[in-house]
Each structure stands twice: as structure tokens, then as C-alpha cells.
Amino acid sequence: MNRRLLTALGASLLLVATLLPSATIAASPRDSGPFTKSGIYIVQLDELPVVAYDGRTPGLRATRAAAGLKVDRTSADVVRYSNHLSSRHDAKIRAAGGRKVYDYTFTFNGFAARLTARQANKLAGDKNVVSIVPDELREMDTSNTPDFLGLTGRRGLWSKLGGPKSAGENIVIGVVDSGIWPESLSFSERVRRGVPSYTGTDVYGRPRGWHGTCQTGEIFVLADCNDKLIGARYFNAAWGGNAGINAQRPWEFTSPRDYNGHGTHTASTAGGNYNTPTTGPAEVFGSISGMAPRARIAMYKALWSTQDASTASGFTSDLVEAIDTAVADGVDVINYSISGTTTNFADPVEISFMFAAEAGVFVAASAGNNGPATATVAHPSPWITTVAAGTHNRDGRGSVTINVPGSAAATFNGASIAQAVGPAPLIDAEAAGLPGASATAVRLCFTASDNGGTPALDPADVRGKIVVCDRGTNARVNKSLAVQQAGGIGMILVNTSPNSINADFHFVPTVHLQNTDRAAVKAAAAVAGATATINAATIVFDAPAPFTAAFSSRGPLAAGGGDILKPDVIAPGQDILAAVAPPGQNGLDFNLLSGTSMSSPHVAGVAALLKDLHPKWSPMAIKSALMTSASDVLDGPNTDPVVIFRQGAGHIRPNSAADPGLVFDSGFDDWRGFLRGQGLCTLCGGSTPAVAIDASDFNQASIAIGDLAGVQTVTRKVTNVGHDRETYSASVTGLTGITVNVTPASFTLRPGQSRTISVKFTRTTAALNAYAGGQLTLASRKHSVRVPMVIRPVALAAPAQVSGTGGPISYNVTFGYDGPFSATARGLVPAVLTPGTVADDPADNFDPEGEGVASFDVAVPAGTTHARFSLFDEFTDGADDLDLYVFNSAGTLVGTSGSGTSAEQVDLRNPAADTYTVFVHGFATDGPDATFTLFHWILGSTAAGNMTVSAPSTATTGATGAINLTFSGLEPATKYLGSVAYGGVAGLPNPTIVRVDTP
């Protein structure tokens, strides 16, 4: 489930607003810094958090745990240092003003506080403040996969751990999600043996280092925890606490209890009990098991559901507190099936996970559900295992037979678990709308709850018929509910673009068809007298698999300049059967859900098994083992970069990961060096300053170079984690047109021994500005260690954008050719500012014809080289979440931006001359509406006389050159945009965008 999933949107009548001429930004007292509004801010300070503290402060002993041990939150040293950090937080708040919301001390040194703009700006200028960011709203990313993954059987990983009744014993999986349904059989008491009921402190066989608690609340008592569900907490301070939830989402439980079902599902998948019998419609599939069936579960509820359970969301401040608490409690693994940044390694959640990994906690995170679009993968950090979603071998196969008078019957095959129904009259939903219902609501078969309280389908047209509904926007099962409520007896659900087809538990018999069948089915439904029969479905366990699920987000990664490969691995994520919470799942105890939310807990559960098998392995060793032992999806050859950007290193194979041979390990100093190489690390000093690491050289089990300028060498360090002395030899497949030399080509390692290898890439004939893919394999007689590679040769490696405030800017470029070179200025041009107001969209679904949108027409003339449309958090009137959508005059969506705040940007490079319509969507305003300022720039190909560029006149392969920019005549308090265009040879990159915000 993803609130930003767009369906085909037709042209619509647009409201035109008059655009204002170029303007400057008038400063006011509260604008004396980057922040201009009140709200919750997350503030990071410069001392190390508990899990990484090395004793550098006089009088405070180190709290960093030894390798393989957990930090003890009850120890005197930890309590003393944690109190020290909290007192520093309090001092900063006293000095600046504001009200504390959370203290973070274990995985993030800082706090969340309610601050005015003035207070936030004051803190931003404090020398001890590393970063300060506004709170953001983030959302969840939404039969026997143990058999499919090979965990079962005599040679499966479970057997190596004593069987399913001991696999994952005493490993604690912390799940940050929407809560848990404790009555589910997936979490029933593991053992009793005469032990009294759970008291919140007495747990039979307490896992070593566990300090968590069972927090009571609405319909959640101590007895709801047990020896399986050993911890449960909830976090809602950013919503205003229980009172805020009761006011904003009154249907929710102000406790760890799950309303939505998402958290119960992910917890059940990762560590649900073995051989749990299913009930209701799921009974046909038999029993289910979690990946680590003897693991303990600790739930950290920080997502709060919509009433229809279409999604659940939470604020960054609550999520960071949940992570901080989970690590302090002593979890071994965290599953995080929640959306995240695609661009920012220093995001508070990403930093919290870095310190969680330093504490020995393995983190699995969902890659996102924005596929099949490329460059959409989230959670970019290398210390996280980012998981894409694939299919598996269980399938519900169904079909529908359509009869049109005068034509032969046609049968269409799709996904289904339906009982037979029909023949019955066939009708297209588009022809069955209630008067006044929007065309979009009708076509998508909205229920009343989907449509602001008014149903979309007309019972007079639907009763007794099989209805054709388009996929998109509302939940798939809600569409069949709309059909049922209007008296329909069956549904044909059709994709409008390539996407997954899913065998859901629908309210009426349903078959789900691919978009390639849509035109034919809709044409048949338009014929008078057409009938349809939904045929009985069959459940099979031999479907070809795995393929990449269409919704799964893909690389290349937007962060890191293409030098980090994400996702890391792929795991089952489509039609996953697990326990759910009945309130948000139509009364079901078990349901089929799809998303990278479902693939991530597979990896978390398998990581728990590997941690059980290899207690001394680091989180990065586990990640490496999963990557180097992976297999391929069936989408195409593993040397195709498109395939690699879908699967990462490949589909997890737990049994092979248990004995990988070699691992690519990394630790805290490596992560600090990585951040320093990205220009992000302000925690890189101290007694051992971090050494900057180029992202391509980061020691992980993949290789990515986003800008190979002729030749580049990367290094990797491998460690033998096997039991024998082995000799490995290197081989390479793929990377056509690029010569690859591995040094040494062969090497021998004793158990526990490490060595560094170098891999040199030299472009010969590979196409410029296009990725090439390949695989590096290090093979011994017993092991095959495979590393995916994606390389993009360029004639010139140059930054996509540079920024400044009006002073000189200097940056380096690297040449991938020999010959002449030039760099010329375009612009700078000032922004055009357009004020506007947009109402809150109660449905949280963008529709050009619906509520909560404001539109602006922008004429883009011929010869435009770059058009940019932007919103800024500081130019709205509150803590608003606004989104941008840009359409051309034909009604085609050409750009969108939808983060958890109002910081949005859409770029059009060399756009066609046209009048574009920019929609501002009021996804979540902090009142009935939001005022904002829309910024846009139209950049041509000429200089404006206010930017001077100096650069080398010749290029030499592999050499670097400095580009120096100086500025003159700029107005104060103005946002400018320009670019530096490159010349001299064919295939040079796009111009480097220049942003100058004058004070």
C-alpha cells in the first residue's frame, strides 16, 4: 500500500492562477535562519550516543559494549552517561526555549522538541548542534515461504538449529510498526512449565541482555504479553499523546494493540510460531510459520492507522524514539517496514540505525513500493539491509470467461482464489456510477469511506452483475466491497499499467487481470447482453518464481552519486499469508498482503536464524552472507543492470547464507568514513578522526560506480568465516566494453584471516552515460561468493548540482577522454514566486478533480534547458505536508514530488515548449488549509552576466580539473538558478545545476 501510487489520470479542467513576476524574499525577525515555522524539530548533538561512547569525556566511563555483547541499560555507567546526555539536552532547551518531546540517548544523541521558528534557528546556530530537522510523517510500505526459502527439511537451516521448535531460540526481533494483535495464535505462549502468568518482568528463559517491558494501555494488559511476545511499547508524542490520537484517529487503540494489521503481519512473518493453524478464508492454505519460529517478538508501535486501514503513518520523532528504545531494551534484530528517505544518509532514522548496527543489531528495511519506476529505492544507507519484493511459488490461479453476443467466448487468466460464479451480466464500473459521483471514483469502484461518505456505484446498475473495476488509489479489497454493497456478485479487477496481480480475500468472487487484458475486457463489457463467468480458482505450489514484484522500488539509488547499489537483496513480498488484526482487516485473523513491507520481515527473520547460528557475526557479516549467497530472479540475465537494480545481489537463500565462505564486513569507523566522504559527517572527529571513504570503496558485497571517467580502481576486504583454509580465484561475467582486472586474481585465506583485493575498471567500448552490469565471483572448491557490479561510464564526472550563498564556488570534475574542454554559464535567473492556498485533502488521494488541490499554469517557452518547480517548508504557514504534481497540456503526468514534508521539487530537463499545470496537493495540512509559495525557474541557454565560469581548456583521461564560479550583481534574499554547460566532445553529462540563495 502506498499513498503515492498514481493511476492513469486524464486531462481535466484546470483552475488558472495569475503568476507574479520575479520577486525577492523579504526577511523578518523570525526568518533569521533556515526555519520559519513552529513545530516539532529533531535536534542531534555532537557527543556519541550510549552504544558508541568510548569514554572520551573525563569522569564518564565508556558504555560501548564489547563485540558480541549488548549494552546493559541498567548498568551504572550507562545510566550515568545517559543522564549526562539528557542533562545536555535540557541545557540546550533552557537556553533556546521550547518543550521537550523525547530524549534520545542510545542510538541517537539528541532530542525532539516543540520549538518556535526563532528557537529552532537559535539552536541551529549552536556549535554543539550537528543537525536540526523538522518532524516528518512517514508511512508503512505495504503459502508457505519457509518451504520456498528452503528452511524446512533435513538440510534446511531450521535443522541446523535443532528444528523449527528451537530455530531462533532467544533471539529478540524488534518490530517497529503499527502494533500487534496479541491474541493471534502466531504469538501464543511458547512454554509454560508451571511458570506464572507474565508480570512484565518475569519471562521464562529471559533472553540474555533483555530489559524490555510490556506497556499497558487501551485493551492491552500485562497478560497480553507472554514468553513469545516479550515486549510491547507505543509512541505517539508527536501526535500529541493519547489525547492527540483520540482526537485525530479515535478508532485507534492508545496502546501497543494493532488496529491496522500491518504490524501483526510483519511480526508474524518474521518470527511467528511454527505450524500455526489458519482460520477463515485462509484455511484453504493450511498452517503458517514465521521465518524464526522460536524467536521472541517485541513490538514498538509508532504507526497510527487510518480508519479504513488503507495505510498507517508515524512521525520521525516517534520512530527514532522507537528505535532508540528497542536497542536499549536489547533486541537483536529490527524490522522496519516503513517508508524512508531516498536521498539522505544523515536522516535521523538512518543515523539511528547506524548506531543500532554499532550495537550489534541487524536492521532490515523495506525498499519501497514505487515500482516499476526506476531510481525509487529508499533507505540508502549501507549499514541497513534494504529489501526488494519478489514473488514465490504459491499462486492462486483463476480465470474469467466472457461471452459477447455474436462472438466466440474468450477466457482471461489471472490471480484468484474465488469460488465459481456466473454466468451473469457484465458491466463496466464506468457505466454504473451514481449521479454526482466523480468519474475517477466510479472507475476505481470507491466505497463510501473511500469517497468522503458517498458510494460511487449505483445499485440499480450493479445488482446481480459482475463488475469491471480499475486498480488504483483505494485498497483492492475495498473495490470488491463496493461491488458487494451495490449488489454485485463478482468483480474483474484490471490493472491500468504493468503491476502485480494478486489473489486477495475479496468480498465477492474476483479475478485480477494484467493491464494487457484491460482493453479487451472493457470493450466486451460495453456490448449489450455480454455475460461473464468467474471460474473456480486453484491453489498451486509450482508457479515459476521468483520474479520481481511490479510494485517493488528499484535502483539506481538517488543518493551517493550512483556509487552505492540498492536494494541489497530481494525476498518474497507478494501475496504473503500471515496473521493480522481483525479491526482493520475486515474481521480476518489471517490475510494476504503484498509490499516490500512483507519482504523485509522475511530477511529480518532469516537474520535472526543466522544470529542464532553464528552469535559472533556482526550485522554486516550477516548482510554480506545474505548477499553473496543469493540467487537470481527470473526477470532476465544477472548481467543486465535492469535486473541488478531490481534484485540487488539477488534472492535470499538462507541455507547457503549459513556458510558463505567469505564476508565483506564493516564497522563504525567505516561508516564514519563513508559519511565523511559524502560531506555529511560531523561526528568524524575525536581521538580517532574518520578517514574519508569514497562510496565506491565502501566495503560491502556489491560494487557500484556511477561515474566511471575512463579508469577507476576500487578496493574490498574479505574475511574467511569458514572452517577451512581455502584458495579463492576471481572471475567476471558481463560488463561488456569494460576491462576488469582483479588483484590478486587468486589468494588463500586461513579461517578468520582477511585480505584486501583491488578491482580495476577500464572503459574500452562501453556506451557512455548508460549502466553496464556484471558479476564478480570469488570461487573456491567449497564456496562461490558472488558480488553484483553496476558501472556507468561517462566522458566527464561532474556533480549534478552545486549550491552557495553568493560567494565563490569551486568544484572538481574528472575527465574520461582526451581532447578539448569548455565550461560555460547559463543564468543565473531569479525565482518566480506565486502565493497560494490549498485545502486539506481528507481522502489523502491526489485527484486533479478532487478536494485539496490548487493548480497553476506555467508557460515554458522553446529553448528552455531546465525548468524547476519547488515548495519549501519555510514558505508554508505551518507544519504542512504538501506535494507537487506537474502535467503537460495533454494531461500526462511529467513529474511528481511527495515527501513527508512540504520540501518538494520537480525538475524538467530540456522540456518541450508547452503550458504545464502544476498541482499543489494538500496531503496533510495542520489546519483546514495551508498557505504556501510556489517557486519556479525557467532557465534558457544564455548567460545572465551575473555568473563567471573558469575551467581547464583540455581534458586528460583520469585527470581532474577545477571549475571555479564567481558571482556579481545578485539581489539579496533571492533564490537563483543557473547551470554550467560542458563542451568539447560528444557524450558529456547534463549541465551542473547551480543554486544560489542569497542572504
Side-chain angles (χ1 to χ4, degrees), residues 657-853:
D659 181 21
L662 302 175
V663 297
F664 299 75
D665 209 347
S666 64
F668 185 53
D669 287 339
D670 301 295
W671 308 331
R672 291 197 307 148
F674 170 81
L675 288 172
R676 188 163 200 159
Q678 295 293 308
L680 294 171
C681 187
T682 52
L683 298 173
C684 292
S687 57
T688 55
V691 177
I693 297 174
D694 184 277
S696 292
D697 283 323
F698 183 81
N699 199 52
Q700 61 180 357
S702 58
I703 296 174
I705 302 176
D707 53 357
L708 175 66
V711 59
Q712 185 170 337
T713 299
V714 303
T715 60
R716 292 293 186 271
K717 184 179 180 181
V718 294
T719 301
N720 183 357
V721 294
H723 300 292
D724 303 308
R725 183 175 185 270
E726 292 188 70
T727 298
Y728 286 86
S729 298
S731 62
V732 172
T733 57
L735 290 185
T736 302
I738 298 174
T739 300
V740 184
N741 292 305
V742 183
T743 305
S746 179
F747 55 89
T748 302
L749 293 177
R750 301 184 305 274
Q753 187 179 8
S754 302
R755 77 153 301 141
T756 298
I757 63 174
S758 63
V759 187
K760 182 179 180 180
F761 301 92
T762 304
R763 175 187 174 260
T764 54
T765 60
L768 292 173
N769 304 316
Y771 275 99
Q775 301 287 336
L776 167 65
T777 301
L778 305 174
S780 71
R781 299 180 72 177
K782 291 181 61 177
H783 296 103
S784 181
V785 180
R786 195 181 71 172
V787 175
M789 302 180 291
V790 283
I791 313 295
R792 180 176 174 265
V794 296
L796 181 76
Q801 178 172 308
V802 294
S803 301
T805 58
I809 295 175
S810 182
Y811 63 92
N812 289 330
V813 297
T814 304
F815 300 108
Y817 73 100
D818 298 317
F821 175 71
S822 64
T824 57
R826 293 175 173 176
L828 303 169
V829 298
V832 175
L833 278 61
T834 309
T837 301
V838 64
D840 182 69
D841 178 7
D844 293 344
N845 292 310
F846 172 70
D847 179 353
E849 299 176 340
E851 295 183 71
V853 294

Side-chain angles (χ1 to χ4, degrees), residues 24 166 336 340 349 359 391 521 562-563 570 579 621 680 787 834 923 974 997:
T24 58
S166 62
Y336 192 81
V349 167
T391 63
V521 170
D563 292 342
I570 191 169
L680 294 171
V787 175
T834 309
F923 175 75
T974 304
D997 291 2

Side-chain angles (χ1 to χ4, degrees), residues 192 226 282 302 325 410 718 798 835:
R192 276 298 186 186
N226 54 38
T325 303
V718 294

Side-chain angles (χ1 to χ4, degrees), residues 299-311:
M299 174 56 65
Y300 300 87
K301 179 178 178 178
L303 299 183
W304 301 86
S305 183
T306 56
Q307 187 169 11
D308 64 359
S310 59
T311 193

